[in-house]
Short mmCIF file of all heavy atoms in Angstrom, two decimals:
data_model
loop_
_atom_site.label_atom_id
_atom_site.label_comp_id
_atom_site.label_asym_id
_atom_site.label_seq_id
_atom_site.Cartn_x
_atom_site.Cartn_y
_atom_site.Cartn_z
N SER A 1 0.87 -1.18 -0.03
CA SER A 1 -0.02 -0.01 -0.05
C SER A 1 0.84 1.25 0.03
O SER A 1 2.00 1.23 0.43
CB SER A 1 -0.90 -0.11 1.20
OG SER A 1 -0.85 0.98 2.03
N GLY A 2 0.32 2.34 -0.50
CA GLY A 2 1.09 3.58 -0.62
C GLY A 2 1.52 4.17 0.77
O GLY A 2 2.55 4.68 0.95
N ASN A 3 0.63 3.97 1.79
CA ASN A 3 0.99 4.45 3.09
C ASN A 3 2.12 3.60 3.73
O ASN A 3 3.01 4.11 4.31
CB ASN A 3 -0.22 4.36 4.00
CG ASN A 3 -1.20 5.41 3.71
OD1 ASN A 3 -1.02 6.24 2.91
ND2 ASN A 3 -2.39 5.38 4.44
N ALA A 4 2.11 2.27 3.53
CA ALA A 4 3.10 1.40 4.11
C ALA A 4 4.46 1.67 3.49
O ALA A 4 5.45 1.59 4.18
CB ALA A 4 2.69 -0.09 3.96
N SER A 5 4.50 1.93 2.21
CA SER A 5 5.79 2.15 1.53
C SER A 5 6.31 3.53 1.76
O SER A 5 7.40 3.81 1.35
CB SER A 5 5.65 1.90 0.02
OG SER A 5 4.80 2.91 -0.54
N GLY A 6 5.49 4.46 2.24
CA GLY A 6 5.98 5.81 2.43
C GLY A 6 5.64 6.74 1.30
O GLY A 6 6.01 7.91 1.31
N ALA A 7 4.91 6.22 0.24
CA ALA A 7 4.54 7.01 -0.90
C ALA A 7 3.55 8.05 -0.54
O ALA A 7 3.51 9.19 -1.08
CB ALA A 7 4.01 6.16 -2.03
N PHE A 8 2.70 7.74 0.48
CA PHE A 8 1.69 8.69 0.95
C PHE A 8 1.85 8.78 2.45
O PHE A 8 2.26 7.88 3.16
CB PHE A 8 0.26 8.25 0.57
CG PHE A 8 0.10 8.14 -0.88
CD1 PHE A 8 0.04 6.98 -1.48
CD2 PHE A 8 -0.13 9.29 -1.61
CE1 PHE A 8 -0.24 6.86 -2.86
CE2 PHE A 8 -0.34 9.22 -2.98
CZ PHE A 8 -0.43 8.04 -3.59
N ARG A 9 1.51 10.01 2.92
CA ARG A 9 1.54 10.27 4.36
C ARG A 9 0.17 9.73 4.97
O ARG A 9 -0.78 9.64 4.24
CB ARG A 9 1.64 11.69 4.75
CG ARG A 9 2.96 12.30 4.31
CD ARG A 9 3.10 13.77 4.70
NE ARG A 9 2.06 14.59 4.09
CZ ARG A 9 1.26 15.40 4.89
NH1 ARG A 9 1.27 15.43 6.16
NH2 ARG A 9 0.36 16.18 4.21
N GLU A 10 0.14 9.47 6.22
CA GLU A 10 -1.06 9.11 6.90
C GLU A 10 -1.81 10.40 7.15
O GLU A 10 -1.29 11.30 7.79
CB GLU A 10 -0.72 8.48 8.29
CG GLU A 10 -0.15 7.08 8.20
CD GLU A 10 -1.21 6.10 7.82
OE1 GLU A 10 -2.37 6.21 8.05
OE2 GLU A 10 -0.75 5.03 7.20
N VAL A 11 -2.98 10.52 6.56
CA VAL A 11 -3.81 11.69 6.72
C VAL A 11 -5.29 11.28 6.98
O VAL A 11 -5.59 10.15 6.67
CB VAL A 11 -3.77 12.63 5.44
CG1 VAL A 11 -2.39 13.18 5.33
CG2 VAL A 11 -4.20 11.91 4.24
N ASN A 12 -6.05 12.19 7.36
CA ASN A 12 -7.49 11.98 7.60
C ASN A 12 -8.12 12.08 6.18
O ASN A 12 -8.21 13.23 5.74
CB ASN A 12 -8.02 12.94 8.58
CG ASN A 12 -9.52 12.77 8.89
OD1 ASN A 12 -10.32 12.64 7.86
ND2 ASN A 12 -9.96 13.03 10.15
N PRO A 13 -8.61 11.02 5.56
CA PRO A 13 -9.17 11.16 4.15
C PRO A 13 -10.34 12.10 4.06
O PRO A 13 -10.47 12.76 3.04
CB PRO A 13 -9.52 9.78 3.80
CG PRO A 13 -9.37 8.92 5.08
CD PRO A 13 -8.69 9.70 6.07
N ARG A 14 -11.21 12.10 5.04
CA ARG A 14 -12.38 12.99 4.95
C ARG A 14 -11.95 14.44 5.00
O ARG A 14 -12.44 15.26 4.24
CB ARG A 14 -13.38 12.72 6.05
CG ARG A 14 -14.59 13.57 6.00
CD ARG A 14 -15.62 13.17 7.06
NE ARG A 14 -16.87 13.82 6.86
CZ ARG A 14 -17.15 15.10 7.34
NH1 ARG A 14 -16.22 15.77 7.93
NH2 ARG A 14 -18.31 15.64 7.09
N LEU A 15 -10.99 14.76 5.92
CA LEU A 15 -10.58 16.12 6.04
C LEU A 15 -9.82 16.57 4.78
O LEU A 15 -9.98 17.76 4.25
CB LEU A 15 -9.66 16.33 7.25
CG LEU A 15 -9.23 17.71 7.57
CD1 LEU A 15 -10.48 18.64 7.85
CD2 LEU A 15 -8.37 17.70 8.79
N VAL A 16 -8.93 15.75 4.20
CA VAL A 16 -8.26 16.11 2.99
C VAL A 16 -9.29 16.34 1.86
O VAL A 16 -9.11 17.27 1.06
CB VAL A 16 -7.29 14.98 2.65
CG1 VAL A 16 -6.73 15.16 1.22
CG2 VAL A 16 -6.14 14.93 3.61
N THR A 17 -10.29 15.44 1.71
CA THR A 17 -11.24 15.61 0.70
C THR A 17 -11.97 16.98 0.81
O THR A 17 -12.20 17.70 -0.21
CB THR A 17 -12.28 14.47 0.72
OG1 THR A 17 -11.54 13.25 0.58
CG2 THR A 17 -13.32 14.60 -0.32
N LEU A 18 -12.41 17.22 2.03
CA LEU A 18 -13.14 18.57 2.29
C LEU A 18 -12.23 19.79 1.97
O LEU A 18 -12.64 20.73 1.33
CB LEU A 18 -13.63 18.57 3.68
CG LEU A 18 -14.79 17.65 4.06
CD1 LEU A 18 -14.95 17.69 5.60
CD2 LEU A 18 -15.99 18.06 3.33
N ALA A 19 -10.94 19.63 2.43
CA ALA A 19 -9.97 20.76 2.12
C ALA A 19 -9.73 21.00 0.66
O ALA A 19 -9.76 22.07 0.17
CB ALA A 19 -8.70 20.50 2.84
N LEU A 20 -9.57 19.89 -0.18
CA LEU A 20 -9.29 19.99 -1.57
C LEU A 20 -10.53 20.57 -2.33
O LEU A 20 -10.44 21.41 -3.18
CB LEU A 20 -8.78 18.68 -2.13
CG LEU A 20 -7.43 18.26 -1.59
CD1 LEU A 20 -7.11 16.87 -2.06
CD2 LEU A 20 -6.34 19.27 -1.96
N PHE A 21 -11.64 19.92 -2.03
CA PHE A 21 -12.87 20.44 -2.68
C PHE A 21 -13.23 21.84 -2.32
O PHE A 21 -13.68 22.62 -3.13
CB PHE A 21 -14.09 19.49 -2.46
CG PHE A 21 -14.11 18.30 -3.40
CD1 PHE A 21 -13.70 17.06 -2.95
CD2 PHE A 21 -14.44 18.45 -4.72
CE1 PHE A 21 -13.68 15.96 -3.74
CE2 PHE A 21 -14.43 17.42 -5.61
CZ PHE A 21 -14.05 16.14 -5.11
N GLY A 22 -13.03 22.22 -1.03
CA GLY A 22 -13.23 23.53 -0.58
C GLY A 22 -12.30 24.51 -1.28
O GLY A 22 -12.79 25.64 -1.68
N MET A 23 -11.06 24.16 -1.44
CA MET A 23 -10.08 25.00 -2.16
C MET A 23 -10.62 25.32 -3.58
O MET A 23 -10.54 26.40 -3.99
CB MET A 23 -8.70 24.37 -2.15
CG MET A 23 -7.69 25.08 -2.92
SD MET A 23 -6.14 24.15 -2.86
CE MET A 23 -6.40 22.66 -3.77
N ALA A 24 -11.01 24.28 -4.24
CA ALA A 24 -11.41 24.47 -5.61
C ALA A 24 -12.78 25.12 -5.74
O ALA A 24 -13.03 26.01 -6.56
CB ALA A 24 -11.49 23.18 -6.38
N ASN A 25 -13.77 24.69 -4.91
CA ASN A 25 -15.14 25.17 -5.01
C ASN A 25 -15.35 26.58 -4.60
O ASN A 25 -16.34 27.22 -5.02
CB ASN A 25 -16.11 24.26 -4.36
CG ASN A 25 -16.23 22.87 -4.96
OD1 ASN A 25 -15.93 22.73 -6.15
ND2 ASN A 25 -16.57 21.85 -4.23
N TRP A 26 -14.43 27.10 -3.81
CA TRP A 26 -14.67 28.51 -3.29
C TRP A 26 -13.75 29.49 -4.10
O TRP A 26 -13.84 30.71 -3.86
CB TRP A 26 -14.32 28.56 -1.87
CG TRP A 26 -15.49 28.16 -1.04
CD1 TRP A 26 -15.81 26.87 -0.60
CD2 TRP A 26 -16.63 28.92 -0.64
NE1 TRP A 26 -16.98 26.82 0.04
CE2 TRP A 26 -17.50 28.08 0.05
CE3 TRP A 26 -16.94 30.31 -0.75
CZ2 TRP A 26 -18.67 28.56 0.58
CZ3 TRP A 26 -18.13 30.76 -0.20
CH2 TRP A 26 -19.00 29.90 0.43
N SER A 27 -13.03 29.06 -5.08
CA SER A 27 -12.15 29.99 -5.77
C SER A 27 -12.92 31.03 -6.53
O SER A 27 -12.45 32.14 -6.75
CB SER A 27 -11.28 29.15 -6.81
OG SER A 27 -12.06 28.50 -7.73
N TYR A 28 -14.17 30.77 -6.92
CA TYR A 28 -15.02 31.81 -7.49
C TYR A 28 -15.22 33.06 -6.64
O TYR A 28 -15.43 34.12 -7.08
CB TYR A 28 -16.35 31.26 -8.02
CG TYR A 28 -17.29 31.14 -6.93
CD1 TYR A 28 -18.24 32.14 -6.60
CD2 TYR A 28 -17.39 29.99 -6.10
CE1 TYR A 28 -19.20 32.00 -5.57
CE2 TYR A 28 -18.29 29.79 -5.11
CZ TYR A 28 -19.25 30.83 -4.86
OH TYR A 28 -20.17 30.66 -3.85
N GLN A 29 -15.10 32.87 -5.34
CA GLN A 29 -15.28 33.92 -4.32
C GLN A 29 -14.05 34.96 -4.39
O GLN A 29 -14.30 36.10 -4.12
CB GLN A 29 -15.37 33.42 -2.93
CG GLN A 29 -16.60 32.66 -2.64
CD GLN A 29 -17.81 33.58 -2.44
OE1 GLN A 29 -17.67 34.78 -2.27
NE2 GLN A 29 -19.03 33.05 -2.56
N TRP A 30 -12.92 34.49 -4.71
CA TRP A 30 -11.71 35.37 -4.63
C TRP A 30 -11.04 35.51 -5.99
O TRP A 30 -10.17 36.43 -6.11
CB TRP A 30 -10.73 34.87 -3.58
CG TRP A 30 -10.39 33.43 -3.73
CD1 TRP A 30 -10.93 32.34 -3.04
CD2 TRP A 30 -9.42 32.82 -4.65
NE1 TRP A 30 -10.31 31.16 -3.47
CE2 TRP A 30 -9.34 31.48 -4.42
CE3 TRP A 30 -8.48 33.39 -5.59
CZ2 TRP A 30 -8.54 30.61 -5.15
CZ3 TRP A 30 -7.62 32.55 -6.26
CH2 TRP A 30 -7.71 31.19 -6.01
N TYR A 31 -11.30 34.80 -6.95
CA TYR A 31 -10.56 34.83 -8.24
C TYR A 31 -10.95 36.15 -8.97
O TYR A 31 -12.13 36.46 -9.03
CB TYR A 31 -10.84 33.67 -9.17
CG TYR A 31 -10.21 33.77 -10.45
CD1 TYR A 31 -8.83 33.72 -10.62
CD2 TYR A 31 -10.96 34.08 -11.66
CE1 TYR A 31 -8.25 33.86 -11.82
CE2 TYR A 31 -10.39 34.21 -12.89
CZ TYR A 31 -9.00 34.15 -13.01
OH TYR A 31 -8.42 34.26 -14.20
N CYS A 32 -9.92 36.81 -9.53
CA CYS A 32 -10.14 38.00 -10.23
C CYS A 32 -9.40 37.85 -11.60
O CYS A 32 -8.18 37.60 -11.57
CB CYS A 32 -9.54 39.22 -9.49
SG CYS A 32 -9.62 40.76 -10.33
N SER A 33 -10.11 37.95 -12.64
CA SER A 33 -9.54 37.75 -13.99
C SER A 33 -8.37 38.77 -14.24
O SER A 33 -7.52 38.50 -15.09
CB SER A 33 -10.57 37.80 -15.09
OG SER A 33 -11.20 39.03 -15.12
N GLY A 34 -8.35 39.77 -13.60
CA GLY A 34 -7.28 40.81 -13.88
C GLY A 34 -6.17 40.69 -12.79
O GLY A 34 -5.30 41.58 -12.74
N GLY A 35 -6.26 39.65 -12.00
CA GLY A 35 -5.24 39.51 -10.93
C GLY A 35 -3.93 39.00 -11.43
O GLY A 35 -3.72 38.85 -12.66
N PRO A 36 -3.09 38.70 -10.56
CA PRO A 36 -1.66 38.34 -10.88
C PRO A 36 -1.54 36.89 -11.48
O PRO A 36 -0.52 36.73 -12.22
CB PRO A 36 -0.86 38.43 -9.59
CG PRO A 36 -1.89 38.22 -8.56
CD PRO A 36 -3.17 38.82 -9.10
N LEU A 37 -2.52 36.12 -11.32
CA LEU A 37 -2.39 34.73 -11.89
C LEU A 37 -3.60 34.45 -12.84
O LEU A 37 -4.69 34.82 -12.58
CB LEU A 37 -2.42 33.66 -10.82
CG LEU A 37 -1.24 33.67 -9.84
CD1 LEU A 37 -1.52 32.63 -8.71
CD2 LEU A 37 0.03 33.35 -10.54
N MET A 38 -3.26 33.80 -13.95
CA MET A 38 -4.34 33.33 -14.87
C MET A 38 -4.97 32.07 -14.25
O MET A 38 -4.39 31.40 -13.43
CB MET A 38 -3.72 33.01 -16.23
CG MET A 38 -3.14 34.23 -16.93
SD MET A 38 -2.49 33.82 -18.53
CE MET A 38 -1.33 32.45 -18.28
N SER A 39 -6.16 31.78 -14.72
CA SER A 39 -6.92 30.63 -14.15
C SER A 39 -6.15 29.32 -14.39
O SER A 39 -6.07 28.47 -13.56
CB SER A 39 -8.26 30.57 -14.79
OG SER A 39 -8.21 30.39 -16.21
N ARG A 40 -5.43 29.20 -15.56
CA ARG A 40 -4.63 28.01 -15.78
C ARG A 40 -3.48 27.89 -14.72
O ARG A 40 -3.20 26.75 -14.28
CB ARG A 40 -4.08 27.97 -17.16
CG ARG A 40 -3.29 26.82 -17.46
CD ARG A 40 -2.64 26.80 -18.87
NE ARG A 40 -1.64 25.78 -18.93
CZ ARG A 40 -1.54 24.96 -19.92
NH1 ARG A 40 -2.36 25.02 -20.89
NH2 ARG A 40 -0.58 24.02 -19.91
N GLN A 41 -2.86 28.98 -14.41
CA GLN A 41 -1.79 28.97 -13.39
C GLN A 41 -2.28 28.53 -12.08
O GLN A 41 -1.68 27.74 -11.33
CB GLN A 41 -1.13 30.33 -13.30
CG GLN A 41 -0.38 30.76 -14.54
CD GLN A 41 0.15 32.20 -14.42
OE1 GLN A 41 -0.66 33.02 -14.29
NE2 GLN A 41 1.42 32.33 -14.51
N ILE A 42 -3.51 29.03 -11.71
CA ILE A 42 -4.09 28.56 -10.42
C ILE A 42 -4.44 27.11 -10.41
O ILE A 42 -4.22 26.39 -9.45
CB ILE A 42 -5.31 29.45 -10.14
CG1 ILE A 42 -4.90 30.88 -9.85
CG2 ILE A 42 -6.11 28.88 -8.97
CD1 ILE A 42 -6.04 31.91 -9.80
N ALA A 43 -4.95 26.66 -11.54
CA ALA A 43 -5.28 25.21 -11.72
C ALA A 43 -3.98 24.38 -11.54
O ALA A 43 -4.11 23.32 -10.90
CB ALA A 43 -5.93 24.95 -13.08
N VAL A 44 -2.89 24.72 -12.08
CA VAL A 44 -1.72 23.98 -12.04
C VAL A 44 -1.18 24.01 -10.53
O VAL A 44 -0.76 22.96 -10.00
CB VAL A 44 -0.61 24.52 -12.96
CG1 VAL A 44 0.69 23.84 -12.71
CG2 VAL A 44 -1.03 24.25 -14.39
N HIS A 45 -1.30 25.14 -9.89
CA HIS A 45 -0.96 25.20 -8.47
C HIS A 45 -1.80 24.27 -7.59
O HIS A 45 -1.28 23.58 -6.79
CB HIS A 45 -0.95 26.61 -7.89
CG HIS A 45 0.18 27.44 -8.28
ND1 HIS A 45 1.36 27.37 -7.57
CD2 HIS A 45 0.35 28.39 -9.22
CE1 HIS A 45 2.22 28.22 -8.17
NE2 HIS A 45 1.66 28.82 -9.13
N PHE A 46 -3.13 24.31 -7.92
CA PHE A 46 -4.02 23.44 -7.10
C PHE A 46 -3.66 21.98 -7.45
O PHE A 46 -3.70 21.17 -6.54
CB PHE A 46 -5.53 23.66 -7.59
CG PHE A 46 -6.14 24.89 -6.91
CD1 PHE A 46 -5.38 25.85 -6.20
CD2 PHE A 46 -7.51 25.00 -6.98
CE1 PHE A 46 -6.01 26.91 -5.60
CE2 PHE A 46 -8.09 26.09 -6.38
CZ PHE A 46 -7.37 27.06 -5.75
N TRP A 47 -3.32 21.67 -8.61
CA TRP A 47 -2.96 20.16 -8.98
C TRP A 47 -1.68 19.88 -8.23
O TRP A 47 -1.55 18.73 -7.64
CB TRP A 47 -2.77 20.05 -10.48
CG TRP A 47 -2.24 18.71 -10.89
CD1 TRP A 47 -1.05 18.43 -11.30
CD2 TRP A 47 -2.99 17.54 -10.79
NE1 TRP A 47 -0.93 17.09 -11.53
CE2 TRP A 47 -2.13 16.49 -11.17
CE3 TRP A 47 -4.31 17.20 -10.38
CZ2 TRP A 47 -2.58 15.16 -11.26
CZ3 TRP A 47 -4.69 15.85 -10.45
CH2 TRP A 47 -3.78 14.88 -10.91
N ASP A 48 -0.77 20.77 -8.13
CA ASP A 48 0.54 20.51 -7.43
C ASP A 48 0.17 20.36 -5.95
O ASP A 48 0.77 19.40 -5.40
CB ASP A 48 1.46 21.64 -7.64
CG ASP A 48 2.73 21.47 -6.85
OD1 ASP A 48 3.44 20.53 -7.16
OD2 ASP A 48 3.06 22.37 -5.98
N TYR A 49 -0.67 21.15 -5.36
CA TYR A 49 -1.05 20.88 -3.98
C TYR A 49 -1.65 19.54 -3.71
O TYR A 49 -1.42 18.90 -2.70
CB TYR A 49 -1.94 21.95 -3.42
CG TYR A 49 -1.44 23.45 -3.64
CD1 TYR A 49 -2.33 24.47 -3.78
CD2 TYR A 49 -0.10 23.69 -3.66
CE1 TYR A 49 -1.83 25.76 -3.94
CE2 TYR A 49 0.42 24.98 -3.80
CZ TYR A 49 -0.47 26.02 -3.93
OH TYR A 49 0.00 27.24 -4.04
N LEU A 50 -2.55 19.16 -4.68
CA LEU A 50 -3.21 17.86 -4.51
C LEU A 50 -2.20 16.73 -4.67
O LEU A 50 -2.23 15.84 -3.78
CB LEU A 50 -4.29 17.70 -5.64
CG LEU A 50 -4.89 16.32 -5.79
CD1 LEU A 50 -5.59 15.89 -4.53
CD2 LEU A 50 -5.75 16.30 -7.08
N VAL A 51 -1.42 16.71 -5.70
CA VAL A 51 -0.49 15.57 -5.88
C VAL A 51 0.67 15.57 -4.99
O VAL A 51 0.98 14.51 -4.40
CB VAL A 51 -0.07 15.64 -7.39
CG1 VAL A 51 1.06 14.56 -7.65
CG2 VAL A 51 -1.19 15.42 -8.30
N ARG A 52 1.37 16.71 -4.86
CA ARG A 52 2.53 16.66 -3.99
C ARG A 52 2.28 17.06 -2.56
O ARG A 52 3.08 16.74 -1.69
CB ARG A 52 3.54 17.64 -4.64
CG ARG A 52 4.00 17.10 -5.99
CD ARG A 52 4.78 18.14 -6.84
NE ARG A 52 5.70 18.92 -6.21
CZ ARG A 52 6.94 19.06 -6.52
NH1 ARG A 52 7.34 18.49 -7.56
NH2 ARG A 52 7.72 19.86 -5.79
N GLY A 53 1.12 17.61 -2.37
CA GLY A 53 0.85 18.01 -0.89
C GLY A 53 0.51 16.79 0.02
O GLY A 53 0.69 16.82 1.16
N ILE A 54 0.11 15.64 -0.63
CA ILE A 54 -0.15 14.45 0.17
C ILE A 54 0.93 13.37 -0.01
O ILE A 54 0.93 12.33 0.56
CB ILE A 54 -1.53 13.80 -0.26
CG1 ILE A 54 -1.50 13.37 -1.67
CG2 ILE A 54 -2.63 14.77 0.05
CD1 ILE A 54 -2.67 12.53 -2.13
N GLY A 55 2.00 13.75 -0.77
CA GLY A 55 3.04 12.78 -0.99
C GLY A 55 3.97 12.74 0.18
O GLY A 55 4.05 13.60 1.07
N GLY A 56 4.66 11.61 0.28
CA GLY A 56 5.69 11.49 1.34
C GLY A 56 6.91 12.29 1.10
O GLY A 56 6.96 13.10 0.11
N ARG A 57 7.76 12.37 2.06
CA ARG A 57 8.98 13.25 1.90
C ARG A 57 9.91 12.59 0.90
O ARG A 57 10.27 11.44 1.06
CB ARG A 57 9.61 13.34 3.21
CG ARG A 57 8.72 14.04 4.28
CD ARG A 57 9.55 14.28 5.54
NE ARG A 57 8.65 14.66 6.62
CZ ARG A 57 8.19 15.93 6.84
NH1 ARG A 57 8.49 16.80 5.94
NH2 ARG A 57 7.41 16.20 7.85
N THR A 58 10.23 13.33 -0.10
CA THR A 58 11.17 12.87 -1.12
C THR A 58 12.11 13.99 -1.54
O THR A 58 11.97 15.17 -1.04
CB THR A 58 10.43 12.43 -2.44
OG1 THR A 58 9.79 13.51 -3.01
CG2 THR A 58 9.46 11.35 -2.07
N GLU A 59 13.05 13.64 -2.40
CA GLU A 59 13.95 14.70 -2.89
C GLU A 59 13.43 15.23 -4.24
O GLU A 59 14.19 15.39 -5.18
CB GLU A 59 15.32 14.02 -3.07
CG GLU A 59 16.00 13.70 -1.79
CD GLU A 59 16.27 14.79 -0.87
OE1 GLU A 59 16.69 15.87 -1.38
OE2 GLU A 59 16.17 14.70 0.34
N ALA A 60 12.15 15.46 -4.34
CA ALA A 60 11.54 15.98 -5.59
C ALA A 60 11.95 17.35 -5.88
O ALA A 60 12.40 18.11 -5.00
CB ALA A 60 10.05 15.89 -5.51
N GLU A 61 11.82 17.76 -7.12
CA GLU A 61 12.11 19.18 -7.54
C GLU A 61 11.27 20.07 -6.88
O GLU A 61 10.17 19.72 -6.41
CB GLU A 61 12.05 19.23 -9.06
CG GLU A 61 10.67 19.18 -9.57
CD GLU A 61 10.47 19.23 -11.05
OE1 GLU A 61 11.10 20.27 -11.59
OE2 GLU A 61 9.80 18.51 -11.70
N PRO A 62 11.68 21.30 -6.69
CA PRO A 62 10.92 22.30 -5.94
C PRO A 62 9.57 22.55 -6.77
O PRO A 62 9.60 22.45 -7.99
CB PRO A 62 11.74 23.63 -5.99
CG PRO A 62 13.14 23.14 -6.23
CD PRO A 62 13.07 21.78 -6.97
N ALA A 63 8.53 22.81 -6.04
CA ALA A 63 7.19 22.99 -6.72
C ALA A 63 7.26 24.11 -7.74
O ALA A 63 6.66 24.06 -8.77
CB ALA A 63 6.16 23.33 -5.65
N GLU A 64 8.05 25.21 -7.46
CA GLU A 64 8.09 26.32 -8.35
C GLU A 64 8.65 25.92 -9.68
O GLU A 64 8.21 26.41 -10.76
CB GLU A 64 8.91 27.46 -7.78
CG GLU A 64 8.32 28.07 -6.51
CD GLU A 64 8.49 27.30 -5.30
OE1 GLU A 64 9.30 26.34 -5.23
OE2 GLU A 64 7.77 27.47 -4.24
N ALA A 65 9.66 25.02 -9.69
CA ALA A 65 10.30 24.61 -10.91
C ALA A 65 9.25 23.71 -11.80
O ALA A 65 9.17 23.91 -12.97
CB ALA A 65 11.55 23.80 -10.70
N TRP A 66 8.47 22.93 -11.10
CA TRP A 66 7.52 22.13 -11.74
C TRP A 66 6.43 22.96 -12.41
O TRP A 66 6.04 22.74 -13.55
CB TRP A 66 6.91 21.07 -10.81
CG TRP A 66 5.97 20.15 -11.40
CD1 TRP A 66 6.18 19.04 -12.21
CD2 TRP A 66 4.55 20.28 -11.39
NE1 TRP A 66 5.02 18.50 -12.61
CE2 TRP A 66 4.00 19.21 -12.19
CE3 TRP A 66 3.66 21.19 -10.86
CZ2 TRP A 66 2.61 19.09 -12.38
CZ3 TRP A 66 2.31 21.04 -11.00
CH2 TRP A 66 1.79 19.97 -11.74
N VAL A 67 5.91 23.92 -11.59
CA VAL A 67 4.90 24.76 -12.08
C VAL A 67 5.34 25.58 -13.28
O VAL A 67 4.64 25.73 -14.32
CB VAL A 67 4.34 25.70 -11.01
CG1 VAL A 67 3.43 26.85 -11.59
CG2 VAL A 67 3.61 24.89 -10.00
N ALA A 68 6.55 26.07 -13.23
CA ALA A 68 7.09 26.89 -14.35
C ALA A 68 7.31 26.06 -15.63
O ALA A 68 7.15 26.56 -16.74
CB ALA A 68 8.46 27.47 -13.93
N SER A 69 7.50 24.77 -15.50
CA SER A 69 7.60 23.92 -16.56
C SER A 69 6.33 23.57 -17.26
O SER A 69 6.25 23.20 -18.37
CB SER A 69 8.40 22.60 -16.24
OG SER A 69 7.55 21.71 -15.49
N VAL A 70 5.24 23.70 -16.50
CA VAL A 70 3.88 23.39 -17.02
C VAL A 70 3.17 24.59 -17.53
O VAL A 70 2.51 24.55 -18.55
CB VAL A 70 3.06 22.68 -15.95
CG1 VAL A 70 1.67 22.46 -16.38
CG2 VAL A 70 3.69 21.39 -15.47
N VAL A 71 3.30 25.71 -16.87
CA VAL A 71 2.57 26.95 -17.20
C VAL A 71 3.49 27.87 -18.03
O VAL A 71 4.62 28.18 -17.57
CB VAL A 71 2.13 27.69 -15.96
CG1 VAL A 71 1.41 29.03 -16.33
CG2 VAL A 71 1.16 26.81 -15.18
N PRO A 72 3.08 28.26 -19.16
CA PRO A 72 3.94 29.06 -20.09
C PRO A 72 4.10 30.52 -19.46
O PRO A 72 3.41 30.93 -18.69
CB PRO A 72 3.21 29.29 -21.38
CG PRO A 72 1.83 28.69 -21.10
CD PRO A 72 1.79 28.03 -19.87
#
């Protein structure tokens, strides 16, 4: 299993689900099309938080480098 191998941290699945859906579902409250980030950039950051935010500790590349490689 991912938890046993260290690929995933032990987390409360219900709380993580609520946090991630809350993050995405409430973005319409604060997103501004004229703001510093385009919607695609925000989506990539959210994806990074989802995928790497629950991952175990690794020597992965910094999140900023990964986001910069995905978003033009």
Side-chain angles (χ1 to χ4, degrees):
S1 127
N3 287 355
S5 70
F8 297 105
R9 295 186 298 124
E10 291 286 335
V11 296
N12 178 319
R14 182 174 188 279
L15 186 58
V16 169
T17 301
L18 291 171
L20 294 173
F21 277 105
M23 175 179 67
N25 290 338
W26 279 90
S27 60
Y28 78 92
Q29 290 283 344
W30 52 262
Y31 176 70
C32 177
S33 61
L37 295 174
M38 296 183 304
S39 60
R40 179 182 168 133
Q41 291 172 303
I42 293 170
V44 171
H45 279 283
F46 279 14
W47 176 251
D48 180 60
Y49 303 153
L50 168 65
V51 173
R52 293 165 44 127
I54 63 173
R57 298 185 192 281
T58 65
E59 294 295 324
E61 67 180 314
E64 294 78 15
W66 181 80
V67 169
S69 72
V70 177
V71 178

